[in-house]
Amino acid sequence: GCGDSEWQPWSSNSALFYELGWKTILIDNNQAYMDYASKLRPEAICICGDALKIDYAALFKSVNAPNVIDYLSVDLDMVWPCVTPNVIALSHFRFQEYDFKFLTMETDFYSEFGIYQKKALQELMKNKKYKLIFEDVGLVYNGTKYLEDWYLNPDYKDDYKIPNILDRYYYQKNPNEILLDLVGKWPL
């Protein structure tokens, strides 16, 4: 995502990839926030709009995105009565036209309505080729908050330098624990 509600567009996964030289697309419905994010990441494509109504195929075509995209992060906040916004947004992606190597999906499982988002995400993904390998990834602040599921596209398993990546499964782990485990197993 672009950042969090604390106006920290530098503290997100897309900020890290931007710093590593990746092309990133940021979408948020708050214009002031997007103006701020675009100052911090001038080469990023910043779009102010409703992520539930965007035509993603048209967006990807307009920015000449490749048909195989390395990473997709879907991180929308739940606002009653819409308790499954990430699933709604993801349902607009044309998986037959665009392939994603790795996906992180926020479920906010720790929250009051997170179970609805998580169940809807599992239902949406069950007939897709993506494999859930990191379930209920959690961050520790004010208690552990399980907030994301991470999916890997098996077609690109050889792009990862992690032996037997498709045989792995992590449940309710902190991202740092996962990375420490995987780094110890990478061939140098």
Side-chain angles (χ1 to χ4, degrees), residues 27 49-54 56 76 82 84-90 92:
I27 301 169
D50 184 343
L52 301 179
K53 297 179 180 174
I54 288 177
Y56 290 98
L76 300 170
C82 182
T84 60
N86 292 327
V87 176
I88 293 169
L90 194 59
H92 293 289

Side-chain angles (χ1 to χ4, degrees), residues 16-186:
L16 169 66
F17 292 123
Y18 178 82
E19 292 298 320
L20 293 172
W22 287 33
K23 293 180 181 177
T24 58
I25 300 173
L26 312 172
I27 301 169
D28 198 285
N29 62 357
N30 182 320
Q31 185 64 55
Y33 183 85
M34 292 310 295
D35 292 344
Y36 183 58
S38 66
K39 287 179 185 170
L40 294 173
R41 297 188 235 166
E43 300 299 317
I45 298 164
C46 295
I47 298 169
C48 184
D50 184 343
L52 301 179
K53 297 179 180 174
I54 288 177
D55 179 344
Y56 290 98
L59 169 61
F60 291 162
K61 284 179 182 149
S62 74
V63 298
N64 296 316
N67 289 81
V68 177
I69 297 172
D70 290 314
Y71 177 65
L72 173 67
S73 171
V74 181
D75 177 358
L76 300 170
D77 295 325
M78 289 182 275
V79 178
W80 185 259
C82 182
V83 294
T84 60
N86 292 327
V87 176
I88 293 169
L90 194 59
S91 69
H92 293 289
F93 283 89
R94 294 186 189 159
F95 286 95
Q96 67 278 13
E97 290 180 45
Y98 292 94
D99 221 1
F100 303 94
K101 293 182 180 182
F102 192 79
L103 299 94
T104 59
M105 308 297 172
E106 186 161 304
T107 62
D108 289 330
F109 191 56
Y110 64 90
S111 71
E112 179 181 6
F113 299 110
I115 188 68
Y116 301 109
Q117 177 117 282
K118 184 163 184 64
K119 284 184 177 183
L121 175 62
Q122 289 172 338
E123 185 65 26
L124 178 71
M125 297 302 284
K126 77 178 182 184
N127 294 321
K128 299 198 181 332
K129 62 183 167 185
Y130 298 91
K131 182 172 185 326
L132 175 64
I133 56 173
F134 305 105
E135 184 175 5
D136 291 340
V137 174
L139 297 178
V140 179
Y141 59 95
N142 297 328
T144 302
K145 301 194 185 227
Y146 299 111
L147 53 114
E148 288 183 337
D149 287 346
W150 298 359
Y151 290 82
L152 181 75
N153 185 332
D155 293 346
Y156 303 98
K157 67 180 176 19
D158 294 334
D159 288 7
Y160 302 94
K161 307 272 190 252
I162 302 167
N164 305 314
I165 186 67
L166 293 176
D167 296 331
R168 296 174 184 273
Y169 173 76
Y170 293 84
Y171 178 69
Q172 294 190 341
K173 296 285 185 183
N174 181 296
N176 294 333
E177 292 176 83
I178 295 168
L179 291 173
L180 286 173
D181 183 54
L182 295 178
V183 168
K185 293 175 174 50
W186 282 354

